[in-house]
Amino acid sequence: METTQRQTYLDWLRIISIAGVLIFHSGMPFADDESWHIRNHDTSQLMAMSNYFMHLVRMPLLFFISGTVSYYMMQRRSAWSFIGLRFTRLFIPLLVGMLIIVPPQIYMERLTQGFTGNYWDFYKTVFKTGAYPKGNLSWHHLWFICYLFVYDLVFAPVFMWLISPKSARFKQALNVLGKGKWVYLLAIPSIIWYTLFARKFPETNNLVHDACFIVYWLLFLLAGFICILQPSLMESLQRNRRFAIAIGFISLVPIYYFWLNPPTNGAEWSALRGYSFRAFSVIVAWSWVLGLMGYGKQYLNRPHRSLAYLNQAVYPFYILHQTIIVILAYYIVKTNDTVIMKYIYTVGVTLFFTMGIYHLFIRPYAVTRFLFGMKPLEKKRTEISGLEIRKMDVLVEEKEAALA
């Protein structure tokens, strides 16, 4: 039997992954050996190590969940209808983000580089100087939305075929992966690809010159679609969840061993060491993503009254959060507080302002909901159904009879 009703645990995992994005980006000004828009004078190697782990897991998890979202959006829709929906939910917020949300981030960065004009002086350059980093036009953290839009645009016909009866034999063949631990074979192409090409083609997030990662992220999205398409695969992830997380924990050991024991005398890493580091990195990514899916299905597949609110909030939250962080960081790094106090303050204040902006200025209004890719406001019921009216008539008659 195919899964056509949205599973609650996917929404919870999506919320958790966006919370992880907040924690990750809040640490970027303070993590050692990083290059980011605003940097603190003092940095932490321990924060860099924890951020690296989060970097390995957070975006793969988001892309995997996005694959399941695409599956549910394809239900009872044509490929063109699906593309139209993704245009309003992805392209419109991306455009709004590039024109309104992201420019303040670049402005704060340019101030640290010697720019002396006001924001309006800067904003006029957004359309004249070209693409970031040389110019001032960018999607910054919204690259995820751009990539997701392109993936859904290109693979809409494939997704449509997969959910149609025409793919019955393919879906039946997928049942083989649901037995034992065969589902983890889905990670093999990604492990090989990342290990071989991640160093030659480092991550850029600019879509055009991102040869390794544009395939790497796609493989997580396709895996999410395939796993939700064939329920036996999700059941296998649930059944083998402890195995996956165990592999993820074990694979962290060589990563941090390499990290904490660099070559001496300024020597560069050997080829074997580099390949091993990258292989274990992607194994960590897949193990934690598939393990979290299994644990989520086991323990988070239950509703809560806060779920609907949080699930609507995560997308606008993702769009807004980094701009708040960059603005805060511009001023926070100038203080004399410790790295940990600056970090905690950044997380807390970003959460406060981002949720406040969402609740007060985005959630209540149809226009802002549209611009931030949210569903339209639900219409309140103004009429009582015929059945309810008949029930009320019966109650009135019974009361009148009792009084008589």
Side-chain angles (χ1 to χ4, degrees), residues 56 92 100 103 107 113 132 138 148 199 201 289 331 336 364 384 393 398:
L56 292 178
I92 297 298
I100 300 175
Y107 174 62
Q113 298 168 349
Y132 183 90
S138 175
L148 186 55
R199 185 173 185 273
F201 303 104
V289 167
Y331 296 100
N336 295 322
I384 303 175
D393 289 339
E398 290 177 351

Side-chain angles (χ1 to χ4, degrees), residues 8-223:
T8 306
Y9 71 94
L10 296 172
D11 294 327
W12 283 120
L13 287 172
R14 184 166 172 250
I15 293 166
I16 291 170
S17 63
I18 295 298
V21 169
L22 166 65
I23 294 171
F24 173 83
H25 282 144
S26 295
M28 288 301 287
F30 316 107
D32 194 23
D33 294 327
E34 294 285 358
S35 175
W36 210 59
H37 316 296
I38 304 293
R39 297 287 290 159
N40 195 53
H41 180 267
D42 298 318
T43 56
S44 166
Q45 185 179 13
L46 295 179
M47 189 167 290
M49 292 170 65
S50 62
N51 256 23
Y52 184 70
F53 167 70
M54 296 193 66
H55 176 65
L56 292 178
V57 177
R58 65 190 177 96
M59 297 313 299
L61 180 60
L62 272 177
F63 275 112
F64 190 99
I65 295 171
S66 297
T68 69
V69 171
S70 296
Y71 168 82
Y72 288 111
M73 284 189 168
M74 292 294 290
Q75 306 301 316
R76 297 179 296 276
R77 286 190 177 93
S78 66
W80 285 110
S81 176
F82 172 72
I83 290 172
L85 182 63
R86 297 313 263 166
F87 182 85
T88 57
R89 298 284 176 84
L90 295 174
F91 184 79
I92 297 298
L94 176 63
L95 188 62
V96 170
M98 292 178 66
L99 297 179
I100 300 175
I101 306 301
V102 171
Q105 297 183 40
I106 307 174
Y107 174 62
M108 306 311 287
E109 181 180 355
R110 297 305 186 220
L111 289 178
T112 66
Q113 298 168 349
F115 184 79
T116 57
N118 59 35
Y119 183 71
W120 176 242
D121 293 332
F122 160 80
Y123 192 78
K124 290 184 289 187
T125 70
V126 170
F127 308 98
K128 300 176 182 178
T129 53
Y132 183 90
K134 292 183 179 180
N136 294 326
L137 180 65
S138 175
W139 49 53
H140 270 34
H141 65 295
L142 304 183
W143 67 267
F144 167 72
I145 300 176
C146 175
Y147 279 47
L148 186 55
F149 177 68
V150 172
Y151 293 153
D152 282 346
L153 196 69
V154 173
F155 283 88
V158 178
F159 293 158
M160 181 56 63
W161 177 81
L162 285 172
I163 68 170
S164 72
K166 298 177 182 179
S167 67
R169 293 180 63 182
F170 175 76
K171 284 180 280 192
Q172 186 65 30
L174 287 176
N175 271 322
V176 175
L177 296 179
K179 299 176 181 178
K181 295 178 174 60
W182 290 103
V183 67
Y184 299 112
L185 290 176
L186 292 173
I188 299 299
S190 186
I191 294 172
I192 296 172
W193 180 267
Y194 184 94
T195 302
L196 293 178
F197 300 114
R199 185 173 185 273
K200 185 177 181 180
F201 303 104
E203 183 178 1
T204 65
N205 299 333
N206 67 6
L207 189 65
V208 180
H209 305 101
D210 206 11
C212 175
F213 282 84
I214 197 169
V215 175
Y216 179 65
W217 305 128
L218 173 64
L219 292 173
F220 283 98
L221 181 135
L222 295 178

